[in-house]
Amino acid sequence: GEGGETGGLKSIGALVAHTANCTNITIDAQCRHFATGGYDGTVCIWDAHNLACLRPACTTLEEGVGCLSFSHDGSFLAATAEPEGRTQSSKKTIDISSVATGETVLEMEVRASAKKIAWHPSLPLLAFGGEAVSVQDDRARYGETPKKEVPVTIVQLKTS
């Protein structure tokens, strides 16, 4: 329809957030903040009420943003780099930043590129799943294709 309305939705504005495609948007459980990530490799934390960019975050990412997730209490934001098109020398990390400052509190190296991340709804636990990785077993010795596994990992963020 006219005036930015589509069905039961009404457009209230558009934000300029990135210099390349926006790949991710996530909102914290308290609805105070939302975060956007883009192919330009930047993450921005926004005020959800004023629709204003507050600060950059997750600045250790070297490539386009693959996934974003707020912690259960909205204190932390986790981000991964987009695994598609990565080079072998690309870092495989998850950046966990403080929402209050935007500063990285932990840059966690992972075995395989993390494609999806999600925080537990009430605890400081972060789960992530990645790309398939080769497992060393007897298959290679016999000329067979090495076994592949797709690990899902859960870690606890120690906040004290």
Side-chain angles (χ1 to χ4, degrees):
E2 293 192 23
E5 291 190 35
T6 306
L9 302 176
K10 179 181 178 185
S11 175
I12 60 167
L15 306 170
V16 176
H18 299 279
T19 59
N21 293 354
C22 180
T23 58
N24 284 274
I25 300 173
T26 188
I27 301 172
D28 74 10
Q30 295 76 24
C31 299
R32 293 181 305 227
H33 301 101
F34 67 95
T36 59
Y39 278 135
D40 59 4
T42 63
V43 173
C44 188
I45 296 173
W46 298 78
D47 180 293
H49 300 288
N50 299 327
L51 303 181
C53 180
L54 299 175
R55 65 193 61 84
C58 305
T59 57
T60 65
L61 299 180
E62 296 178 344
E63 297 163 0
V65 178
C67 194
L68 295 171
S69 183
F70 279 103
S71 62
H72 72 284
D73 60 1
S75 296
F76 299 100
L77 178 67
T80 64
E82 172 63 48
E84 304 305 322
R86 304 180 106 198
T87 64
Q88 287 291 70
S89 63
S90 296
K91 291 191 311 183
K92 295 177 179 82
T93 61
I94 296 173
D95 181 308
I96 300 176
S97 290
S98 164
V99 171
T101 65
E103 294 178 13
T104 298
V105 295
L106 178 64
E107 182 182 12
M108 183 172 55
E109 288 193 39
V110 293
R111 197 167 127 205
S113 295
K115 288 189 170 195
K116 298 292 179 192
I117 55 177
W119 289 93
H120 186 280
S122 62
L123 299 171
L125 300 175
L126 180 67
F128 55 93
E131 299 173 321
V133 292
S134 293
V135 176
Q136 297 301 321
D137 63 8
D138 289 338
R139 295 171 199 221
R141 188 178 325 160
Y142 301 109
E144 297 176 20
T145 304
K147 179 179 159 185
K148 297 268 188 177
E149 67 178 25
V150 181
V152 173
T153 306
I154 299 172
V155 296
Q156 180 175 12
L157 181 63
K158 299 201 179 209
T159 56
S160 53

